């Protein structure tokens, strides 16, 4: 049996990994110049956190999350759902009551097992509620023994038992994070970061997980470099500065052809009315839309604007535009954002169809596309999410941020730029004769501590083979150490590009190599 990486998941191997490091290092440097600090977030969280922030009806939460039950919680969760989802017929006969009691008793048993295994912890409140549950079960058992069943009472008790399962908090569901904003907001609340001075500016770098259909630029484990600003102010200067930072980062990488699109999607005051207007307009042209868009007319009309189907484009262009339906505050916020971008000399286009697939956005949304990527050409998405922290139980907070899809950014860099030369080896040790190895190891340690890249082969080799390997590894220099050199206390250093060589003592050698490095890396 041969093992392979799972579909949609991949290795990032050298030399490509060097480019990843360069990109991540550039992000760290640029972001820290804007006073952003790194937050390292957990890879998985309660499923509920993502459902509440991204939105339970979004594709990301609904279809794409990798979720699993808390250890040991699975059986308990199923037992609870059996009770909760039991459909009570209008007349419960002996068999129906028996079936329901079977589920209820199974739940009691599973709960005890889970407590015994230490999987489920119960506080006093949970204990009290469970006592109600037990007495309800006892009551139902007694009712079931009566000669004539009292439907109304049996159904009443059954419903009560079903409802009381809400107080059995068991078998929590966890999910691999599909994005980072929800976790940042959770952490902001959990650590009381609203008491920190100034806006809280955080960035994160790491893998995200979505069960999407894999294709070029779309993976099931992909990587993001994200940044968020949380605080009391929703000043559009913050939006503009966040975008400025993003553009500075892309400039640092010399990414060619990146395009910024912005939009405002309004707020709780104005968006609902626009959505209704849009829905009305869509109903009139429904038969000209594809199946996906038809479904969205009622469920989520904004998402129709995202459609890339060629045959829908002409119809979509005729739809009402949100810019004409923004409330005065949102219109003012968007106008100021544009002025702030102009002030910074940042070029953008307004894309009235940029709505984005996550429910937490309001007002500013933006996206960056890059060439060379085909259909998956968005390398970054972001926007404002005032109120998200509050909806997760935190203080009233404004928020804005973005996430760069690192995989796509790297693909675009590879398409548009010459491959950067890999970091070269400074020194290769050709040591000859076992007696010379300790001196080679000693010198290698010294050179490495100066930051030189050094390869010291573990196996003794013939001289020719050793120099051949030095060439294939792309070393700039070989240090040749044979018994003669060892006796004389010198090293032969050979520059491989032109085969010039000289004999030097240890400190001259170090001076020579450091000077070579300065001239090479400076060049
Ligand atoms: P998002 O638009 O869902 O936003 O993702 C941001 C970026 O992640 C996308 O533009 C894309 O480059 C990349 N991406 C998403 N899914 C995949 C995938 N399956 N494979 C490869 N790359 C992918 C967010 O995640 C928000 N949390 C951004 C944000 C931060 N908004 C405010 N703050």
């Amino acid at each position: 049996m041969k093992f392979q990486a799972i579909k949609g998941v991949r290795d990032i191997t050298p030399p490509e990994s060097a480019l990843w490091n360069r990109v991540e290092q550039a992000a760290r440097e640029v972001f820290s110049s804007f006073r952003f600090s790194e937050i390292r977030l957990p890879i998985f969280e309660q499923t509920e956190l993502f459902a509440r922030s991204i939105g339970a009806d979004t594709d990301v939460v609904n279809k794409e999350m990798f979720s699993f039950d808390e250890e040991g919680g699975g059986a308990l969760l199923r037992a609870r759902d059996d009770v909760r989802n039991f459909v009570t017929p209008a007349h419960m006969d002996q068999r129906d009551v028996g079936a329901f009691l079977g589920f209820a008793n199974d739940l009691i048993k599973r709960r005890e097992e889970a407590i015994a295994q230490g999987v489920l912890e119960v506080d006093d409140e949970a204990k009290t509620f469970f006592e109600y549950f037990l007495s309800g079960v006892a009551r139902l058992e007694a009712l079931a023994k009566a000669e004539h069943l009292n439907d109304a009472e049996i159904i009443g008790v059954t419903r009560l038992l079903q409802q009381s399962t809400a107080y059995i908090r068991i078998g929590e569901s966890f999910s691999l994070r599909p994005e980072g904003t929800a976790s940042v907001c959770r952490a902001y609340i959990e650590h009381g970061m609203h008491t920190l001075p100034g806006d809280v500016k955080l960035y994160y770098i790491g893998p995200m997980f979505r069960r999407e259909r894999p294709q070029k630029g779309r993976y099931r484990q992909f990587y993001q470099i994200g940044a968020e600003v949380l605080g009391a102010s929703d000043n559009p200067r913050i939006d503009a500065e966040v975008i400025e930072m993003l553009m500075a980062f892309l400039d640092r990488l010399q990414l060619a052809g990146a395009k910024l699109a912005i939009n405002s999607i309004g707020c709780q005051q104005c968006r609902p009315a626009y959505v209704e207007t849009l829905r009305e307009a869509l109903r009139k042209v429904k038969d000209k839309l594809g199946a996906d868009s038809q479904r969205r007319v009622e469920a989520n009309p904004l998402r129709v604007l995202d459609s890339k189907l060629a045959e829908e484009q002409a119809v979509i262009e005729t739809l009402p535009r949100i810019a004409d339906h923004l409330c005065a505050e949102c219109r003012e916020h968007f106008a100021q954002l544009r002025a702030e971008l102009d002030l910074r000399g940042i070029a953008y286009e307004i894309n009235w169809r940029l709505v984005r697939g996550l429910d937490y956005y309001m007002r500013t949304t933006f996206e960056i596309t890059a060439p060379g990527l085909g259909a998956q050409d968005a390398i970054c998405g972001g926007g404002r999410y005032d109120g998200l922290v509050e909806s997760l139980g935190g203080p009233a907070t404004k928020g804005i941020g973005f996430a760069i899809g690192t995989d796509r950014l790297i693909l675009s860099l590879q398409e548009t730029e010459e491959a950067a030369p890999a970091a070269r080896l400074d020194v290769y040790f050709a040591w000859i004769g076992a007696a010379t190895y300790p001196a080679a190891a000693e010198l290698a340690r010294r050179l490495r501590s100066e930051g030189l890249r050094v390869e010291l082969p573990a196996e003794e080799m013939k001289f020719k083979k050793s120099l051949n390997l030095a060439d294939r590894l792309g070393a700039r220099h070989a240090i040749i150490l044979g018994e003669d050199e060892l006796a004389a206390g010198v090293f032969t250093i050979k520059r491989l590009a032109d085969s010039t060589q000289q004999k030097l003592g240890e400190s001259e050698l170090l001076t020579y190599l450091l000077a070579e490095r300065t001239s090479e890396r400076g060049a």
Side-chain angles (χ1 to χ4, degrees), residues 11 35 63 121 134 249 341 378 382 489 508:
D11 304 303
R35 196 180 64 79
K63 301 193 203 144
E121 282 176 35
L134 290 175
F249 165 65
L341 290 174
E508 295 158 307

Side-chain angles (χ1 to χ4, degrees), residues 60 64 178-182 204 208-213 215 217-224 226-228 356-358 360-361 366-368 376-385 399-409:
V60 171
E64 295 171 2
E179 59 110 51
T181 310
Y204 47 90
M208 307 289 161
F209 305 85
R210 295 184 195 176
R211 200 191 297 273
E212 293 196 89
R213 198 168 45 77
Q215 64 183 84
R218 195 204 264 157
Y219 309 98
R220 291 185 158 189
Q221 174 172 338
F222 61 100
Y223 295 79
Q224 283 188 344
E228 317 284 352
R356 319 213 2 84
L358 313 170
Y360 50 61
Y361 289 121
F366 56 94
E367 194 166 88
I368 291 183
Q376 307 303 322
D377 66 347
I379 58 161
C380 175
R384 179 162 280 288
Y385 49 84
I400 180 160
F402 63 79
I404 295 155
T406 318
D407 308 75
R408 293 183 191 176
L409 173 60

